[in-house]
């Protein structure tokens, strides 16, 4: 039994994959000698050397292009984009090249790579270093989208992501890097596409991802203790592939659904989930699906502004009460 | 004048290059004919007039080497030995196409031949070609990666990111700028700060300034062989600027009217790489009968491949849903 932070589970997960497979290498800005700007890759350079842990220039297109080309030959690169916001400067490589090349080549080319990136708000970094961008990548056919909410999921999902024959974008939440968990076994594997239940309940289904899944769990504990509401909290873990069966099963039981998203409202992933639920579970619904999101604004920086933009535990609690009790 | 006594290339390789260039020329002409018959839809970017560059590299490269080209990539694909029916079939959207109609003219890919794709977003493939070169270095194998692109590419960020990375990591790669003097419809000099769009930037990445007449097939072959050897010996990347000229417009929709008539006439009549190479073969006392036999052979190959392509069935509709993922499917939820 060891206590691991989300941060240290990232470097451990990468190290475990690199120990198991010589084809795995790691590339990114400040990832080696500096150990990463979030210190999530400390020790990798020392263990694996410069040939397998490569400090790259500030050239996001060149980083992802090199990772893609290497993956095309059968290597299994892990590439870091320091902040997910920087995906915007290499979006051509992600959306046009990495995502589409397998299809366009009629399956001649596989691209087994992992792009890991620090995502999400809570650090008061302002609108260009805080975004929650899972939905950007979710809408591109050919990309798998993973967002772990706890250290054990980082370990298990990273193992699967590196072994996956398809490209995976691995969104690590900045506000979870200090999150701790007691872990028995570190060398674990969690299949991509299986949601996790963080709290059991039959009154309402709350669906979240990454930090929002943890906040939904905290909200569920309060709802149970103080309001006699039993909420089922589903941590999606991945948006693509999506565990629709777990969602359906719960919605059939509860009839009430709340999605909690960190992204701005328009075209957030909750909209797709809501659409799927209305398509597959319409007769089971006791009311409309409620989406809790950030308002449709860029993320502001000041404490009070950011804190009131990103969905909080309190907001989730209130929305559930409003929904179930009409208060 | 030719120096027959000190011929570093030799008859065998010259005839190989001749056959290669002819194939590229005749297949592109056939592609144009098939457009006019409306048998090829979509767009297409022909490399007519630029055959010496792809042809020379096709002769100089070894099996196992990687090439990356642009949407103007029919010639570069054929130069690696891809079948003519694979190329024409893809252009026509037939099952015999290299990607069975899933990619089209701008995305020709034939991994078995080292054709690692044709890329339709300017600049991207320079960064991706670094990746196959990085893999060769990582695996300590000696394949060389070659990346072809146009003059317009030198003004996009990815070009600069890729050159810097290739240099700092001493990658086994050759970047080949085919400077056909026009960035799509605009003269390249009107939109570029330097006279030689690639070569004048080489110094910024501590690379040699290499400019070559891209329509002189022998010079092109020498330049290609030198850069490939350098990469294969672990001596790092090269950036080559090969001056050339499109005989046709930028794409299917472009008649190329923005180019002065005199300029077009000069390049077509005096600087056509194929016409000039035929003359050079004769200067080297190569029997005209051999030259003509190769011409007949290639013509015959192109006609037969065209027949095969036209007879090939169109793809099945179910193919829409295949090969997004490595499991062969396209499902995104359970």
């Amino acid at each position: 039994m060891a206590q691991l932070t989300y941060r240290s589970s990232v470097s451990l997960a990468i190290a475990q994959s690199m120990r198991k497979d010589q084809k795995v290498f790691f590339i990114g800005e400040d990832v080696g000698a500096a150990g990463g700007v979030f210190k999530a890759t400390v020790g990798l350079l020392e263990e694996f050397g410069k040939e397998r842990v490569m400090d790259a220039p500030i050239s996001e297109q060149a980083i992802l292009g090199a990772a893609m080309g290497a993956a095309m030959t059968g290597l299994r690169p892990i590439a870091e984009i320091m902040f997910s916001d920087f995906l915007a400067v290499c979006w051509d490589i992600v959306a046009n090249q990495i995502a589409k090349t397998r299809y366009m080549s009629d399956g001649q080319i596989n691209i087994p790579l992992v792009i890991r990136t620090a995502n999400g708000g809570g650090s008061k970094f302002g609108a260009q270093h805080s975004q929650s961008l899972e939905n950007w990548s979710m809408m591109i056919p050919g990309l798998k989208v993973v967002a772990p909410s706890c250290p054990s999921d980082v370990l298990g999902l990273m193992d699967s992501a590196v072994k996956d024959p398809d490209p995976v974008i691995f969104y690590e939440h900045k506000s979870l890097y200090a999150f701790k968990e007691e872990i028995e076994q570190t060398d674990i594997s969690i299949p991509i596409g299986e949601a996790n239940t963080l709290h059991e309940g039959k009154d309402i289904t709350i669906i979240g991802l990454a930090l929002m899944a943890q906040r939904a769990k905290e909200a569920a504990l309060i709802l149970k203790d103080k309001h006699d509401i039993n909420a089922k909290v589903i941590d999606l873990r991945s948006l693509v592939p999506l565990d629709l069966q777990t969602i359906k099963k719960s919605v059939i039981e509860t009839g009430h659904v709340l999605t909690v998203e960190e992204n701005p409202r328009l075209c957030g992933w909750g909209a797709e989930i809501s659409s799927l639920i209305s398509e597959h579970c319409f007769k089971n619904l006791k009311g409309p699906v409620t989406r809790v999101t950030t308002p449709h604004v860029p993320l502001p920086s000041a404490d009070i502004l950011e804190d009131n933009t990103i969905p909080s535990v309190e907001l989730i609690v209130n929305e559930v009460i409003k929904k179930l009790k009409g208060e | 004048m030719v120096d027959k006594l000190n011929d570093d290339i030799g008859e065998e390789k010259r005839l190989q290059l001749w056959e290669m260039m002819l194939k590229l020329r005749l297949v592109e002409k056939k592609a144009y004919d098939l457009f006019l018959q409306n048998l090829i839809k979509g767009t297409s970017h022909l490399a007519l007039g630029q055959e010496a560059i792809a042809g020379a590299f096709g002769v100089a490269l070894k099996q196992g080497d990687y090439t990356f080209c642009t949407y103007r990539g029919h010639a570069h694909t054929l130069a690696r030995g891809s079948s003519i029916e694979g190329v024409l079939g893809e252009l026509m959207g037939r099952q015999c196409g290299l990607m069975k109609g899933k990619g089209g003219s701008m995305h020709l890919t034939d991994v078995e031949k080292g054709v690692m794709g044709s890329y339709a977003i300017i600049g991207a493939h320079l960064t991706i070609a670094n990746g196959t070169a990085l893999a060769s270095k990582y695996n300590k194998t000696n394949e060389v990666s070659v990346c072809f692109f146009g003059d317009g590419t030198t003004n996009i960020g990815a070009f600069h990111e890729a050159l810097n990375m290739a240099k700092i990591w001493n990658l086994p790669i050759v970047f080949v700028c085919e400077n056909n003097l026009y960035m799509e419809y605009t003269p390249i000099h009107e939109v570029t700060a330097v006279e030689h769009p690639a070569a004048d930037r080489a110094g910024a990445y501590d690379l040699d300034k290499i400019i070559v007449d891209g329509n002189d097939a022998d010079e092109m072959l020498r330049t290609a062989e030198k850069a490939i050897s350098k990469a294969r010996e672990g001596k790092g990347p090269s950036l080559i600027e090969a001056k050339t000229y499109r005989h046709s417009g930028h794409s299917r929709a472009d008649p190329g009217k923005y180019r002065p008539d005199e300029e077009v006439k000069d390049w077509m009549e005096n600087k056509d790489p194929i016409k000039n190479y035929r003359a050079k073969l004769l200067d080297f006392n190569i029997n005209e009968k051999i030259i003509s036999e190769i011409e007949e052979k290639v013509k015959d190959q192109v006609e037969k491949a065209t027949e095969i392509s036209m007879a090939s069935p169109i793809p099945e509709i179910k193919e829409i849903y295949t090969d997004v993922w490595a499991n062969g499917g396209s499902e995104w939820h359970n």
Side-chain angles (χ1 to χ4, degrees), chain A residues 50-99:
Chain A
K50 279 165 90 172
E51 284 185 2
R52 295 183 73 193
V53 178
M54 303 173 199
D55 274 321
I58 300 178
S59 302
E60 279 84 7
Q61 294 186 80
I63 290 169
L64 291 192
M68 173 178 167
M72 288 163 83
T73 73
L75 293 179
R76 289 178 177 269
I78 302 171
E80 176 179 309
I81 296 298
M82 191 185 287
F83 285 78
S84 62
D85 314 71
F86 306 168
L87 284 168
V89 298
C90 50
W91 200 237
D92 170 46
I93 308 294
V94 178
N96 285 321
Q97 314 302 343
I98 289 171

Side-chain angles (χ1 to χ4, degrees), chain B residues 22-250:
Chain B
L22 264 182
K23 181 168 74 172
L24 311 189
R25 170 70 54 97
L26 294 181
V27 174
E28 287 287 53
K29 280 191 161 174
K30 180 59 77 178
Y32 186 69
D33 291 345
L34 293 169
F35 276 133
L36 295 181
Q37 295 170 49
N38 208 26
L39 286 167
I40 295 177
K41 308 284 172 61
T43 187
S44 189
H45 305 77
L46 303 179
L48 287 169
Q50 305 185 187
E51 295 88 350
I53 303 167
F57 273 91
V59 169
L61 284 167
K62 286 186 184 167
Q63 202 179 355
D65 289 334
Y66 301 110
T67 48
F68 293 75
C69 56
T70 68
Y71 49 82
R72 195 182 307 287
H74 308 163
H76 308 77
T77 302
L78 290 162
R80 296 305 311 280
S82 297
S83 74
I84 300 171
E85 58 267 28
V87 171
L88 289 178
E90 187 62 30
L91 268 55
M92 284 193 272
R94 304 298 171 110
Q95 281 189 25
C96 74
L98 288 175
M99 301 93 76
K100 303 197 187 76
K102 274 199 151 129
S105 162
M106 295 201 278
H107 299 291
L108 296 176
T109 305
D110 190 356
V111 171
E112 204 181 299
K113 304 286 184 191
V115 180
M116 301 307 281
S118 309
Y119 294 79
I121 310 287
I122 298 288
H125 66 310
L126 281 82
T127 72
I128 301 164
N130 271 344
T132 54
L134 180 64
S136 299
K137 195 179 168 194
Y138 186 88
N139 293 323
K140 299 185 171 59
T141 48
N142 68 355
E143 307 93 9
V144 172
S145 296
V146 175
C147 183
F148 302 96
F149 54 92
D151 42 279
T153 302
T154 63
N155 290 324
I156 204 164
F159 167 84
H160 299 272
E161 288 191 18
L163 286 177
N164 183 59
M165 189 174 274
K167 179 65 188 182
I168 59 170
W169 289 345
N170 196 41
L171 299 178
I173 187 164
V174 183
F175 295 104
V176 186
C177 175
E178 301 184 359
N179 181 1
N180 62 22
L181 314 186
Y182 289 83
M183 177 214 80
E184 300 204 3
Y185 298 50
T186 305
I188 189 66
H189 67 82
E190 287 184 11
V191 291
T192 307
V194 292
E195 186 186 355
H196 305 291
D200 285 347
R201 265 81 171 251
Y205 303 102
D206 195 21
L207 297 168
D208 293 337
K209 178 173 179 170
I210 303 171
I211 299 175
V212 59
D213 178 353
N215 282 13
D216 179 335
D218 277 355
E219 272 312 303
M220 205 54 236
L221 183 63
R222 289 185 187 104
T223 308
E225 286 180 338
K226 195 175 161 193
I228 290 167
S229 297
K230 181 183 168 191
R232 213 181 297 285
E233 288 160 15
K235 293 175 183 164
S238 299
L239 172 62
I240 295 167
E241 179 170 332
K243 292 269 197 280
T244 186
Y245 202 76
R246 273 191 258 118
H247 284 185
S248 50
H250 166 69

Side-chain angles (χ1 to χ4, degrees), chain A residues 150-171:
Chain A
C150 59
S152 53
D153 281 8
V154 169
L155 292 167
L157 291 169
M158 180 64 83
D159 183 75
S160 295
V162 173
K163 287 176 183 161
D164 201 289
D166 294 309
V168 178
I169 307 195
F170 198 89
Y171 287 97

Side-chain angles (χ1 to χ4, degrees), chain A residues 22-34:
Chain A
Q22 188 65 31
K23 290 197 178 83
V24 182
F25 70 87
F26 180 42
I27 176 173
E29 297 159 12
D30 286 332
V31 297

Side-chain angles (χ1 to χ4, degrees), chain B residues 293-334:
Chain B
E293 276 171 5
I294 291 173
E295 286 168 352
E296 289 310 311
K297 182 176 122 188
V298 175
K299 269 184 205 164
D300 190 49
Q301 281 173 350
V302 175
E303 287 310 316
K304 282 193 175 130
T306 306
E307 282 168 28
I308 294 170
S309 308
M310 287 170 74
S312 175
I314 56 174
E316 293 186 48
I317 288 173
K318 67 180 183 190
E319 289 294 328
I320 292 168
Y321 302 99
T322 64
D323 280 321
V324 171
W325 308 119
N327 69 6
S330 59
E331 290 296 327
W332 53 273
H333 68 71
N334 60 5

